[in-house]
Amino acid sequence: MTVSHASVFTPMAAGLPPDTDLSSILVDLADNHVAAPKDVDQEGLATVAQGAREHGIPLSIIIVPGNPGRDSDLRDLATDVGRSEHGTILVLSDDWAGTYSDSISRHQLERAEDIAKYRGHGHSTEAAQAFVSRLEQPEMVSWTAVTGVLLAGTVVAIGGLYYVKSRRAAREQAARD
């Protein structure tokens, strides 16, 4: 039996969490940059979004009830909303987070997502605040500096080995003469 590699490696289509209506989310975001079910405290989330905006992060927050089948659905939803809203979009479920931003790197978003995950149902304001706090923190390590030091160290090591080998070769040549 022949297996078609095309069917095996076909990427999955982007999906939104179940029972998600993109147009109603966009309408709900219009007033306070928060879209959440009725039982979620939108006041606290709106305060977090407003605080982030005051610090230069154009944040919109979306709360999805429960956890979707795949955590990547949250990023897909954030990306779809980001196409219309622009800025930074944070989508939170009970235990997961998904993000999109047109101004913040994926690395910074993932770093901030990690601290916002696994807060549980009812702690979305706390998760959103943790996300914003992590985005506002400067990175502790400059990866450019680390790469530069490693590269310089490699060049010095190669130069040192070349020097040692050339001295050894010169000694061996002098011993033969």
Side-chain angles (χ1 to χ4, degrees):
M1 178 175 156
T2 305
V3 176
S4 169
H5 293 302
S7 66
V8 174
F9 296 111
T10 303
M12 293 177 60
L16 298 180
D19 303 324
T20 301
D21 181 16
L22 190 58
S23 59
S24 67
I25 288 173
L26 293 173
V27 168
D28 196 8
L29 285 173
D31 60 344
N32 60 0
H33 303 288
V34 174
K38 302 286 185 226
D39 64 333
V40 175
D41 173 31
Q42 284 202 16
E43 295 279 327
L45 292 167
T47 302
V48 171
Q50 184 59 36
R53 287 175 177 277
E54 289 170 1
H55 288 103
I57 302 170
L59 180 66
S60 296
I61 303 169
I62 302 168
I63 305 301
V64 175
N67 287 319
R70 298 176 304 191
D71 61 345
S72 60
D73 290 349
L74 299 178
R75 183 188 291 182
D76 295 339
L77 176 57
T79 301
D80 285 354
V81 171
R83 288 185 185 131
S84 326
E85 282 296 303
H86 305 294
T88 301
I89 312 297
L90 170 64
V91 180
L92 294 168
S93 68
D94 288 350
D95 294 319
W96 298 329
T99 54
Y100 165 84
S101 182
D102 55 12
S103 60
I104 299 172
S105 73
R106 173 57 45 199
H107 166 72
Q108 289 176 297
L109 291 174
E110 294 285 341
R111 184 173 161 255
E113 266 183 41
D114 289 344
I115 201 162
K117 292 178 180 178
Y118 305 110
R119 299 288 175 141
H121 178 72
H123 298 282
S124 53
T125 302
E126 177 187 317
Q129 185 59 57
F131 175 81
V132 171
S133 295
R134 181 56 70 99
L135 280 182
E136 291 175 342
Q137 280 180 349
E139 284 200 46
M140 306 282 277
V141 176
S142 168
W143 293 107
T144 303
V146 169
T147 303
V149 167
L150 289 174
L151 185 59
T154 303
V155 168
V156 167
I158 290 170
L161 289 172
Y162 178 77
Y163 177 75
V164 168
K165 286 180 74 174
S166 65
R167 296 267 315 209
R168 185 182 300 157
R171 277 195 309 256
E172 289 176 2
Q173 184 67 27
R176 283 188 223 149
D177 290 339

